[in-house]
Amino acid sequence: MKNYKNSVKNVVAGMLVLLAFLPGELSAQNRAIEFETGSWAEVIQKAKKENKPIFVDAFAVWCGPCKWMAKSVFTNDTVADFYNSNFVNVKMDMEKGEGIELAKKWKIQAYPTLLYFSPEGEMIHRICGAYPANEFVLGGENALNPEKQFGQFVKKYENGNRDPEFLAHYVQLLAESCMGGKEETEVYFATQKDEELTSERNWNLTLMLVDDMNSRVFKNLENNKKIFEEKYSKEAVAEKMEQVYTTALMRQLYKKDDAGYEKVQQELTSRKNDLADKAIAAAELNKFEIRNEWDKYANAASKFVSNYAMDDFGTLNSIAWTFYEQIKDPKQLKKAVAWAKKSVSLTEKPFNLDTYAHLLYATGNKKEAIVQQKRAIELAKKTGDPMVSDLENNLKMFEGK
């Protein structure tokens, strides 16, 4: 089973992140946020009448983090009491009805996006992503505080505020709201001297916002790689650099610009950088997968695993599962069995045990597949993993039931 958090594709990180459960998480009980069911005009009318701001959960039906918030956060007593007392609340499917036009108007880029409006319907604050209860309440508190409202930062920027402290906060808010902010980020970094780019604040903003491999900020990171590694960590620096390199390649792939893709490859090769070479190899896998060129994918995957992934349990699992789904050559599938086994030996999880079991089954070792699937089920039950029922259904398939 492919775990989305460990796919090779996710070197190109999206801004939407399902936040981990934090210490001090508020426990869910019996109450829930009360959502209105009328039109947007009717919601504004009610908000004006009650003199309350409006909270909108902008969601899509296919969005997993949206479902998690609806089930685990909106049903929290503290959350319910705070939002019911301070806001008129709305859940809106942005891909149906009036949500389609409002999504364009509100510039929805990711799901869930959490929006806050004045009683008159003027947007005052926004964040995006799925938040645990205490962080979600904090988001609502910020929406009620004019000094922290996203909308106030937008107005100050539009009115010419270019103070570095203000800009640093503003571009962070843009990232947290999934609003991009490339221009604003460039304006901020223009206020920073080269020697200031290694500061903790600038490093954190680089991690969140910088994705152009030819930008001044990223070139500074390349040229001062050792300094960044010493101040932060070798792993974090490598992950960021790979992400930027791979993003440059994937942009061309998604545009179907073969010439542009080859040009970026040549630029990366000329940098004589091991991380750039790894990004090229990862992008090749994505290219063959996008084009359904599975023989080429299989050959490229073998090289990628040998050179870069033998100690990466998530990538081993991801590639092994792709082999299970797409590769029919028995010799190639035997390689995938070995990768899945290695993944399990590095870090045992229900999803990679499931991958291992599927590949054993596909290569004719049904008895061992059943053994491994039972281990996956046992571990999932022990850790409270929600995939137990899927694993049990797979076991029935292996057993011929």
Side-chain angles (χ1 to χ4, degrees):
M1 182 176 292
K2 182 175 285 189
N3 179 29
Y4 75 93
K5 292 182 180 178
N6 292 297
S7 171
V8 172
K9 292 181 181 178
N10 286 333
V11 177
V12 187
M15 289 303 300
L16 179 60
V17 178
L18 177 59
L19 298 181
F21 296 101
L22 302 179
E25 173 63 64
L26 308 174
S27 59
Q29 297 173 47
N30 300 310
R31 297 186 290 281
I33 294 179
E34 297 169 2
F35 290 103
E36 301 298 318
T37 57
S39 67
W40 180 237
E42 291 171 334
V43 168
I44 292 176
Q45 185 178 16
K46 179 172 182 176
K48 287 180 179 178
K49 183 178 179 180
E50 297 184 6
N51 194 29
K52 281 185 175 182
I54 304 164
F55 162 66
V56 178
D57 169 34
F59 74 96
V61 294
W62 47 263
C63 166
C66 302
K67 295 175 183 177
W68 176 79
M69 283 203 75
K71 180 180 179 181
S72 302
V73 179
F74 297 162
T75 55
N76 176 284
D77 275 7
T78 304
V79 167
D81 292 344
F82 175 79
Y83 275 84
N84 289 338
S85 62
N86 288 290
F87 297 94
V88 173
N89 302 295
V90 185
K91 282 181 70 68
M92 188 173 294
D93 184 342
M94 307 313 295
E95 296 182 341
K96 291 182 181 179
E98 66 176 337
I100 296 173
E101 289 304 314
L102 288 174
K104 296 176 183 177
K105 180 180 178 180
W106 296 339
K107 299 179 181 179
I108 303 297
Q109 304 293 324
Y111 297 105
T113 292
L114 310 172
L115 304 168
Y116 302 84
F117 297 82
S118 70
E120 293 73 32
E122 178 187 3
M123 189 180 298
I124 57 176
H125 193 61
R126 65 189 292 157
I127 51 180
C128 80
Y131 292 82
N134 48 357
E135 293 292 312
F136 180 48
V137 169
L138 179 61
E141 290 173 345
N142 290 341
L144 297 174
N145 184 345
E147 294 184 1
K148 295 186 177 181
Q149 290 171 349
F150 175 78
Q152 293 299 319
F153 278 79
V154 174
K155 290 178 181 178
K156 289 177 182 179
Y157 182 81
E158 291 176 347
N159 289 333
N161 191 331
R162 296 298 184 267
D163 176 74
E165 294 296 322
F166 163 78
L167 288 171
H169 195 175
Y170 181 42
V171 295
Q172 182 173 341
L173 287 176
L174 285 168
E176 291 172 354
S177 62
C178 298
M179 290 292 288
K182 182 177 180 180
E183 173 193 320
E184 294 85 351
T185 300
E186 290 176 353
V187 170
Y188 166 71
F189 277 118
T191 70
Q192 303 296 292
K193 298 176 182 178
D194 285 351
E195 57 268 26
E196 296 175 315
L197 294 177
T198 59
S199 72
E200 184 174 1
R201 181 178 73 184
N202 286 333
W203 168 241
N204 288 331
L205 291 175
T206 297
L207 288 176
M208 284 194 295
L209 298 164
V210 174
D211 65 359
D212 181 357
M213 71 178 190
N214 292 315
S215 68
R216 164 182 166 248
V217 176
F218 187 73
K219 286 184 176 180
N220 180 274
L221 172 60
E222 287 182 312
N223 294 335
N224 297 282
K225 181 169 172 281
K226 290 185 178 180
I227 295 176
F228 280 93
E229 289 175 344
E230 290 172 359
K231 291 194 70 171
Y232 306 107
S233 77
K234 186 174 182 179
E235 292 75 19
V237 172
E239 183 177 354
K240 180 59 187 179
M241 291 179 67
E242 287 176 40
Q243 178 252 315
V244 172
Y245 293 144
T246 308
T247 296
L249 290 160
M250 295 304 295
R251 282 185 181 134
Q252 305 307 317
L253 283 181
Y254 288 129
K255 289 192 298 184
K256 298 182 179 179
D257 183 352
D258 291 346
Y261 179 76
E262 290 178 8
K263 182 179 179 181
V264 174
Q265 274 193 324
Q266 291 170 2
E267 288 183 25
L268 290 177
T269 301
S270 69
R271 298 190 182 200
K272 298 180 180 180
N273 182 320
D274 290 343
L275 297 173
D277 292 341
K278 182 179 178 181
I280 292 171
E284 285 291 282
L285 285 183
N286 282 286
K287 180 180 75 173
F288 296 137
E289 185 169 358
I290 290 169
R291 296 177 179 178
N292 293 319
E293 296 177 349
W294 297 112
D295 288 342
K296 292 181 180 178
Y297 177 91
N299 292 329
S302 295
K303 294 178 182 178
F304 184 86
V305 169
S306 297
N307 291 329
Y308 304 111
M310 285 308 295
D311 294 322
D312 183 342
F313 88 97
T315 299
L316 285 168
N317 174 73
S318 178
I319 294 175
W321 181 257
T322 300
F323 268 55
Y324 169 76
E325 290 187 310
Q326 304 294 345
I327 306 300
K328 306 304 177 186
D329 184 345
K331 291 183 179 179
Q332 296 284 15
L333 285 176
K334 286 183 179 179
K335 292 182 184 179
V337 171
W339 298 336
K341 185 176 181 180
K342 176 68 173 179
S343 173
V344 170
S345 72
L346 291 169
T347 305
E348 190 172 285
K349 299 285 186 180
F351 64 83
N352 62 354
L353 281 165
D354 180 75
T355 297
Y356 185 31
H358 273 79
L359 283 161
L360 288 167
Y361 183 80
T363 53
N365 194 345
K366 296 181 181 180
K367 183 177 179 180
E368 186 61 21
I370 291 170
V371 170
Q372 298 303 323
Q373 194 68 12
K374 287 181 177 179
R375 288 178 63 202
I377 294 169
E378 181 181 355
L379 182 57
K381 288 180 177 179
K382 183 179 180 180
T383 58
D385 195 299
M387 64 188 289
V388 171
S389 60
D390 291 335
L391 296 172
E392 289 176 337
N393 288 333
N394 291 336
L395 177 60
K396 290 177 182 179
M397 178 186 74
F398 298 156
E399 293 175 333
K401 296 180 180 179

